[in-house]
Amino acid sequence: MAIIFYNTYSKKKEEFEPMIPGEVRMYTCGPTVYDFAHIGNYRAYIFEDLLRRYLKYRGYKVTQVMNLTDVDDKTIKSCREKGISLAEYTKPYKEAFFDDLDALRIERAEYYPEATAHIEEMVELVKKLLDNGVAYRMGNSIYYRISAFPNYGKLSGMNISELKAGARVDVEEYEKETAADFALWKGWDESDGDVFWETELGKGRPGWHIECSAMSMKYLGESFDIHTGGVDNIFPHHENEIAQSEAATGKRFVNYWLHCAHLMVEGRKMAKSFNNFYTLKDLLDKGLHPLALRYILISTHYRQQLNFTFDGVNAALASLQRLWDFYDNVVDAPDGDSKGKLSVVINEAHNKFILGLDDDLNISSALAAIFDMVKAANKTIAETGISGEEKEMLLAEIDKFDSVLAFLKPPKESKLIDEEVEKLIEARENARKGKNYREADRIRNELEKRGIVLEDTKSGTKWKRKID
Ligand code: AMP
Ligand code: ZN
């Protein structure tokens, strides 16, 4: 069975076939480091993480490139406002980005090229476009003539026949309605201050779109398999990337274009410009567990809009708690004869997981497979206990699923105290028996501080790990 992806370019679901059998080369548009990334951005990066991890799960060797846009209209404006150099300005945002990736368990890409370290490659690409006659000079800047590229508009489905001849845009983010010649190279002017490069093209800086064409082709070749981003990237950014790259090489740039829908807040895209955003740090400071956010961002299909709410956070916590309790339950399950029942459960989960994710990353199906497994396995464990062999199989299967999802197992920090917990519970029990309630309460409070919640039931004291 092949994996199927919805391709924005053909507007159809297509069977995935990489150019080199067994290998996938993919480019994922990365952050513009003019500020901390918001969790809308992380929806895109987590969708890409799921894609990358699933391709690996299915046996492909993946080479992923994610650019860091560290020179563009926004970064220049911001560093000028602060009166510091571009590099000084972007550094903390780059660092924070990598910290966030770790917190959200986003696996590292193979390459994170920085735009400012690839000016030479961009200049070479613009020179090719000048030689081809697709690019032209106007003043100190160089523009791409979109009427020279017959497929312009194919990705976004925009009709450019009404385009005014010679219309040009200088800003990098413009409205969907404005198809126009765009800047490949921006000649220096005063608003750029000391941000410029002296090159064969003159004194200036690259446009945003050329950054991604130059860096993707440098690391992945002139043609590669998958290119992704959020839907806001489709036009103009990805449309322009195709036009630049294909006009320069004469080859098809990318075979599969995958785009995720937006993370919304009250019906609006989460964005810096709408001031309706949360950074990851905002949420962690409010006490949100990063894995709850990972769960929320992964669990809605990537092509569906996702509304961010704090109710959603609570629901995600409850799901995580169920998964982590299950894991502990399997680890601690008593020896017994599960009579091959768990092998059947594992097989069903395995097949359903793959069937779901093969179908354009249908995550709902994959998660349903996991939760069905949790329910059936918990039941068997309660009824019969589990044989050593089936326990091993089950734990191995959870590990494999977790190589894709990365939230199935309780975080290690809370694992370390099993025996201690048991000891403290026993001490509390003894204190209660001796009617030393103050000591019993002290122990309960201490456990609570360490993330353990007690529940006194008829059959004794049970405990759970609290998610903090
Ligand atoms: P930017 O830093 O604005 O260039 O965006 C980096 C990535 O985040 C791009 O792939 C965008 O498409 C994506 N993105 C931005 N806002 C959102 C959002 N609200 N929901 C999902 N993806 C987003
Ligand atoms: Zn890009």
Side-chain angles (χ1 to χ4, degrees):
M1 278 284 292
I3 303 181
I4 287 175
F5 290 132
Y6 179 84
N7 189 346
T8 312
Y9 197 80
S10 62
K11 300 175 183 53
K12 286 199 301 262
K13 279 189 177 178
E14 292 176 14
E15 265 192 21
F16 176 65
E17 236 184 278
M19 290 176 200
I20 303 170
E23 289 187 22
V24 180
R25 287 167 294 154
M26 67 182 212
Y27 188 85
T28 47
C29 281
T32 306
V33 283
Y34 76 109
D35 201 342
F36 297 107
H38 58 70
I39 60 166
N41 301 126
Y42 287 111
R43 178 173 202 206
Y45 307 144
I46 281 203
F47 140 64
E48 289 150 357
D49 187 53
L50 175 65
L51 173 63
R52 166 195 171 83
R53 284 169 174 272
Y54 188 59
L55 288 164
K56 285 174 69 178
Y57 176 91
R58 294 290 266 126
Y60 291 104
K61 172 178 177 278
V62 173
T63 307
Q64 179 192 356
V65 178
M66 179 177 274
N67 63 295
L68 302 179
T69 297
D70 57 356
V71 53
D72 80 325
D73 292 352
K74 288 189 281 201
T75 39
I76 292 177
K77 184 165 176 275
S78 306
C79 80
R80 299 263 297 151
E81 276 165 11
K82 272 209 152 175
I84 54 179
S85 75
L86 185 65
E88 231 180 312
Y89 179 79
T90 55
K91 188 166 177 269
Y93 301 118
K94 288 178 187 169
E95 286 169 0
F97 171 68
F98 287 108
D99 288 345
D100 286 0
L101 293 187
D102 291 344
L104 291 171
R105 297 199 182 161
I106 295 175
E107 208 170 72
R108 293 291 169 100
E110 280 62 34
Y111 299 98
Y112 288 99
E114 298 173 338
T116 49
H118 294 78
I119 303 295
E120 216 172 285
E121 287 83 349
M122 296 170 206
V123 169
E124 284 309 308
L125 193 54
V126 176
K127 273 167 58 190
K128 271 195 194 160
L129 295 171
L130 281 168
D131 289 347
N132 287 349
V134 179
Y136 61 91
R137 267 188 190 279
M138 175 67 72
N140 291 328
S141 293
I142 300 171
Y143 293 87
Y144 187 98
R145 182 182 289 115
I146 60 173
S147 58
F149 186 67
N151 274 339
Y152 195 86
K154 179 99 196 292
L155 178 75
S156 57
M158 112 154 359
N159 178 2
I160 63 155
S161 58
E162 289 157 24
L163 175 70
K164 273 199 251 142
R168 263 183 309 277
V169 282
D170 279 306
V171 287
E172 282 163 347
E173 288 177 57
Y174 47 95
E175 295 302 315
K176 236 187 156 53
E177 294 75 39
T178 0
D181 290 357
F182 58 91
L184 297 165
W185 182 259
K186 299 185 171 193
W188 181 85
D189 70 30
E190 272 170 18
S191 69
D192 289 338
D194 61 0
V195 180
F196 61 83
W197 285 263
E198 292 278 11
T199 73
E200 285 176 64
L201 302 174
K203 174 179 174 180
R205 59 165 172 120
W208 170 38
H209 313 300
I210 200 78
E211 297 182 3
C212 282
S213 284
M215 293 193 284
S216 60
M217 292 199 283
K218 168 162 183 182
Y219 292 94
L220 299 174
E222 292 180 342
S223 299
F224 55 92
D225 301 298
I226 301 178
H227 196 313
T228 68
V231 286
D232 56 307
N233 282 160
I234 298 174
F235 186 86
H237 186 49
H238 291 166
E239 196 73 77
N240 292 351
E241 276 189 49
I242 296 174
Q244 297 163 153
S245 311
E246 297 195 355
T249 67
K251 295 182 190 153
R252 182 166 176 163
F253 177 43
V254 167
N255 280 344
Y256 302 88
W257 288 89
L258 273 59
H259 292 98
C260 72
H262 281 145
L263 180 70
M264 312 290 285
V265 188
E266 285 152 19
R268 243 180 154 191
K269 173 190 167 190
M270 181 176 284
K272 294 271 159 55
S273 49
F274 298 144
N275 205 22
N276 63 351
F277 64 93
Y278 293 108
T279 64
L280 181 62
K281 191 171 176 303
D282 291 338
L283 294 179
L284 298 188
D285 288 349
K286 280 182 196 287
L288 182 124
H289 197 292
L291 293 184
L293 188 64
R294 178 173 176 91
Y295 189 92
I296 292 176
L297 296 178
I298 246 180
S299 60
T300 295
H301 187 257
Y302 77 94
R303 286 194 291 117
Q304 266 174 12
Q305 280 187 356
L306 164 61
N307 203 29
F308 181 78
T309 64
F310 284 94
D311 283 349
V313 173
N314 290 331
L317 282 175
S319 302
L320 284 180
Q321 187 69 66
R322 188 162 162 68
L323 294 167
W324 296 353
D325 288 348
F326 169 67
Y327 188 79
D328 286 343
N329 196 29
V330 177
V331 172
D332 300 337
D335 253 348
D337 185 4
S338 36
K339 298 194 190 80
K341 271 196 204 157
L342 283 170
S343 309
V344 176
V345 170
I346 293 167
N347 251 329
E348 274 177 14
H350 178 92
N351 293 340
K352 192 171 172 185
F353 185 79
I354 292 182
L355 212 64
L357 291 177
D358 268 4
D359 179 14
D360 194 29
L361 301 180
N362 185 338
I363 188 71
S364 310
S365 247
L367 289 176
I370 303 277
F371 282 104
D372 288 351
M373 175 183 80
V374 167
K375 196 170 163 195
N378 272 338
K379 185 161 175 272
T380 303
I381 291 169
E383 283 167 7
T384 64
I386 185 167
S387 69
E389 196 189 342
E390 288 205 310
K391 185 188 266 198
E392 231 172 77
M393 274 174 65
L394 187 51
L395 289 173
E397 197 64 38
I398 296 173
D399 271 347
K400 283 230 66 188
F401 290 145
D402 210 36
S403 71
V404 179
L405 299 172
F407 51 61
L408 295 181
K409 298 197 277 185
K412 285 206 188 71
E413 349 26 303
S414 57
K415 258 321 271 175
L416 53 105
I417 41 176
D418 275 17
E419 276 112 337
E420 268 180 280
V421 174
E422 299 294 349
K423 269 201 190 132
L424 283 165
I425 289 177
E426 205 184 305
R428 175 171 169 262
E429 221 33 62
N430 289 336
R432 289 211 300 183
K433 276 189 198 137
K435 299 209 177 339
N436 187 351
Y437 295 115
R438 180 180 289 196
E439 171 66 358
D441 283 346
R442 188 195 65 75
I443 295 175
R444 172 190 276 274
N445 289 341
E446 180 175 338
L447 282 166
E448 183 136 15
K449 265 195 241 145
R450 299 174 71 166
I452 304 294
V453 202
L454 301 186
E455 193 188 341
D456 293 314
T457 69
K458 278 194 193 127
S459 55
T461 304
K462 298 221 158 104
W463 60 273
K464 265 190 181 181
R465 290 201 176 86
K466 189 179 66 178
I467 302 169
D468 50 27

